[in-house]
């Protein structure tokens, strides 16, 4: 892990709710937007996800449909303690071309309040606005050549005065935690890092595999991701984003009456279809995202239960992360299987539990502890589907450390 380089850091003592603006547009990187929002809300910030488009619904860079809380025009007279720009293309261009956002962010910089950007956004959005003068900055390696050479740094995170910059989806957790530290202090950042399973993630085995079988397809694999109100948004968007980057056909299906769900930290996501429509197709893999309330709702879906049972009988692949291995367990789908889950629920599994590992694969079942471990989980699926070379290529695009062999 590369170290965080800090020029000046500012800490604010939170005697009242701190307001954060996260603008989104067509083609915004969904992992970056959602991880920033989720992590800052967990820390206690009032986060507004604002659309720079004429409508609130925004299709992100890998096709996830997010619904913003409000329009950017409603934010022009608000004071924000932090403005954090996610990257993605053409999302960073959409942010750059939004005059209202430019004015809000320029005022933020003038008044020496915190602002930050990740991935393409430092080079594509902040630089043309003139908000990076005399600042050392980092960005996605694909955009480093746009930065003034003298001021460009290669660390995953860089803090220079009021501005914090970072490199990509794979550094989003570090970036969000760095922003938490500047807003709320080191102890809150440490606590949130532990909640996200970030600190123990560094020392854990990435993956353990038992009863190894090939997951081989002579066509594009088809994956179903069922979601519900209370599902964990970080897990939904990370799995979808990474699998779609690897060219997997991913279908997101809502078990609710509406295709729009409200995830565990309040992010609104629109599924591709309802579970009843999705059930008309066959999937090579079904993955359940976590979130305690979401897992309970997934467990109650009769259609999903039937799909999962059919998946097992047909010898196809299924898996779950975070709280959702419990759903598999209650449906009798973990019998004689090794698995893992979020530390808060792992004690409820009666099958053979594997502790201290981010991802466990047993034959055609894959489980993970979730949250910050979900990048490893999604990459483990890519590796099983397509092998090491494609997985490494996807990881490089994310700016996520992945073994060379």
């Amino acid at each position: 892990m590369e170290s965080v380089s800090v020029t000046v850091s500012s800490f604010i003592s939170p005697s009242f709710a701190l307001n954060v603006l996260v603008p989104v547009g067509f083609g915004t990187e969904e992992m970056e937007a959602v991880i920033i929002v989720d992590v800052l809300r967990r820390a206690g910030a009032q986060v507004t996800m604002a659309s720079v488009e004429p409508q609130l619904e925004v299709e992100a860079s890998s096709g996830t449909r997010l619904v913003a809380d409000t329009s950017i025009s409603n934010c022009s007279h608000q004071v924000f303690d932090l403005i954090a720009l996610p990257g993605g293309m053409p999302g960073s261009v959409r942010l750059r071309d939004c005059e209202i956002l430019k004015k809000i962010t320029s005022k933020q910089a003038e008044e020496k309040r915190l602002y930050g950007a990740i991935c393409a956004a430092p080079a594509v959005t902040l630089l043309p606005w003139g908000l990076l003068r005399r600042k050392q900055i980092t960005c996605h390696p694909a955009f480093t050549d746009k930065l003034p050479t003298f001021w460009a740094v290669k660390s995953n995170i860089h803090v220079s005065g009021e501005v914090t910059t970072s490199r990509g989806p794979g550094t989003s957790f570090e970036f969000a935690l760095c922003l938490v530290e500047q807003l709320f202090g080191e102890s809150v950042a440490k606590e949130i890092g532990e909640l996200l399973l970030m600190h123990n993630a560094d020392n854990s085995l990435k993956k353990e595999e038992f009863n190894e079988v090939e997951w081989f397809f002579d066509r594009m694999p088809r994956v179903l991701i069922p979601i519900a109100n209370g599902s964990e948004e970080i897990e939904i968007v990370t799995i979808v984003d990474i699998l779609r980057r690897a060219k997997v056909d991913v279908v997101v299906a809502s078990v609710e009456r509406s295709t729009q769900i409200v995830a565990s930290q309040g992010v609104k996501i629109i599924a591709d279809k309802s579970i009843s429509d999705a059930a008309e197709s066959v999937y090579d893999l079904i993955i359940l995202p976590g979130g305690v309330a979401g897992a309970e709702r997934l467990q109650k879906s009769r259609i999903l239960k039937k799909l999962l049972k059919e998946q097992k009988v047909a010898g196809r692949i299924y898996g779950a992360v975070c709280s959702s291995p419990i759903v598999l367990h209650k449906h009798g789908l973990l019998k004689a299987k090794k698995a893992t889950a979020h530390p808060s629920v792992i004690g409820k599994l009666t099958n053979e539990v594997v502790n201290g590992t981010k991802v466990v694969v047993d034959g055609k079942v894959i489980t993970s502890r979730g949250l910050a471990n979900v990048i490893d989980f999604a990459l483990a699926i890519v590796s099983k589907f397509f092998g090491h070379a494609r997985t490494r290529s996807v990881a490089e695009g994310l700016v996520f450390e992945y073994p060379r062999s």
Side-chain angles (χ1 to χ4, degrees):
M1 185 72 68
E2 290 177 76
S3 61
V4 175
S5 46
V6 179
T7 313
V8 180
S9 61
S10 22
F11 296 101
I12 298 168
S13 174
S15 53
F16 50 88
L18 298 176
N19 292 311
V20 177
L21 174 65
V22 179
V24 293
F26 171 72
T28 286
E29 216 303 316
E30 48 261 79
M31 272 176 72
E32 293 163 359
V34 168
I35 290 169
I36 293 165
V37 171
D38 186 302
V39 173
L40 283 159
R41 282 181 178 162
R42 284 170 183 269
Q46 295 266 13
V47 184
T48 302
M49 186 194 281
S51 170
V52 302
E53 305 296 345
Q55 70 288 336
L56 295 184
E57 185 187 325
V58 168
E59 186 175 321
S61 61
S62 289
T64 301
R65 290 153 69 203
L66 301 171
V67 181
D69 303 313
T70 189
S71 167
I72 195 70
S73 56
N74 295 329
C75 302
S76 50
H77 300 298
Q78 282 180 259
V79 175
F80 294 98
D81 299 286
L82 164 69
I83 297 173
L85 309 185
M89 291 295 279
S92 297
V93 174
R94 306 294 289 180
L95 300 190
R96 179 197 71 198
D97 294 345
C98 175
E99 278 303 316
I100 298 172
L101 179 60
K102 181 182 175 182
K103 278 182 188 161
I104 294 171
T105 315
S106 300
K107 190 176 181 216
Q108 188 83 357
E110 276 166 35
E111 295 177 358
K112 300 217 173 303
R113 289 195 300 273
L114 300 176
Y115 61 104
I118 187 168
C119 192
V124 175
T125 314
L126 291 183
L127 190 66
W129 287 349
L131 298 184
L132 295 179
R133 287 191 195 101
R134 307 189 71 76
K135 303 283 189 193
Q136 284 195 311
I137 37 180
T138 189
C139 72
H140 194 284
F143 294 89
T144 306
D145 60 343
K146 296 190 186 304
L147 300 178
T149 311
F150 179 71
W151 298 102
V153 293
K154 285 188 174 173
S155 53
N156 282 349
I157 314 284
H158 193 82
V159 182
S160 184
E162 296 79 34
V163 65
T164 303
T165 50
S166 186
R167 304 194 85 189
T171 66
S172 296
F173 284 104
E174 290 171 78
F175 178 60
L177 218 54
C178 182
L179 298 175
V180 168
E181 186 170 331
Q182 290 174 76
L183 286 173
F184 296 100
E186 196 178 340
S187 64
V188 175
K190 186 171 183 288
E191 189 184 324
I192 298 298
E194 284 168 3
L195 273 177
L196 294 166
L197 309 179
M198 280 176 73
H199 301 315
N200 54 8
D202 294 339
N203 310 320
S204 308
L205 275 171
K206 285 203 178 229
K207 184 178 96 173
E208 281 192 84
E209 185 158 5
F210 307 91
N211 304 309
E212 191 170 338
V213 293
E214 273 194 4
W215 297 4
F216 179 73
F217 304 97
D218 52 6
R219 55 179 164 70
M220 185 194 290
R222 197 137 204 256
V223 175
L224 175 67
I225 301 177
I227 63 173
N229 289 327
S231 288
E232 174 45 60
E233 48 267 81
I234 283 176
E235 293 162 358
I236 298 169
V237 299
T238 300
I239 297 165
V240 171
D241 191 340
I242 292 175
L243 293 184
R244 284 183 176 156
R245 282 169 178 261
K247 304 291 182 260
V248 173
D249 178 13
V250 179
V251 174
V252 180
S254 167
V255 302
E256 307 292 349
R257 286 184 182 152
S258 162
T259 51
Q260 181 176 311
I261 64 108
V262 181
S264 66
Q265 299 300 320
V267 172
K268 296 184 275 291
I269 297 171
I270 298 177
D272 303 315
K273 51 180 71 174
S274 67
I275 194 73
S276 52
D277 287 346
E280 291 169 13
S281 302
V282 169
Y283 301 91
D284 301 298
L285 168 62
I286 300 174
I287 305 167
L288 311 185
V292 176
E296 285 173 4
R297 296 188 72 78
L298 293 181
Q299 191 191 319
K300 287 174 183 166
S301 166
R302 288 178 188 168
I303 297 173
L304 178 57
K305 181 180 179 180
K306 184 169 178 278
L307 278 173
L308 286 165
K309 298 255 184 184
E310 285 168 0
Q311 198 76 357
K312 184 179 194 304
V313 169
R316 294 190 294 266
I317 314 155
Y318 54 92
V321 300
C322 197
S323 311
S324 284
I326 293 297
V327 180
L328 298 181
H329 170 65
K330 287 187 173 170
H331 290 335
L333 301 173
L334 290 182
K335 280 179 189 148
K337 292 288 179 188
K338 291 183 170 70
T340 191
H342 190 276
S344 65
V345 299
I346 204 164
K348 295 177 186 171
L349 297 178
T350 55
N351 54 303
E352 198 169 335
V353 165
V354 181
N355 251 321
T357 304
K358 296 179 183 183
V359 182
V360 175
V361 184
D362 188 343
K364 292 191 173 181
V365 177
I366 182 165
T367 52
S368 170
R369 295 187 303 187
L371 294 168
N373 303 157
V374 82
I375 299 177
D376 290 291
F377 174 80
L379 289 173
I381 293 168
V382 175
S383 177
K384 287 295 290 180
F385 279 165
F386 305 112
H388 189 81
R390 190 182 302 190
T391 313
R392 186 159 168 73
S393 166
V394 171
E396 277 176 10
L398 297 168
V399 196
F400 185 75
E401 275 184 45
Y402 195 76
R404 292 191 176 277
S405 56

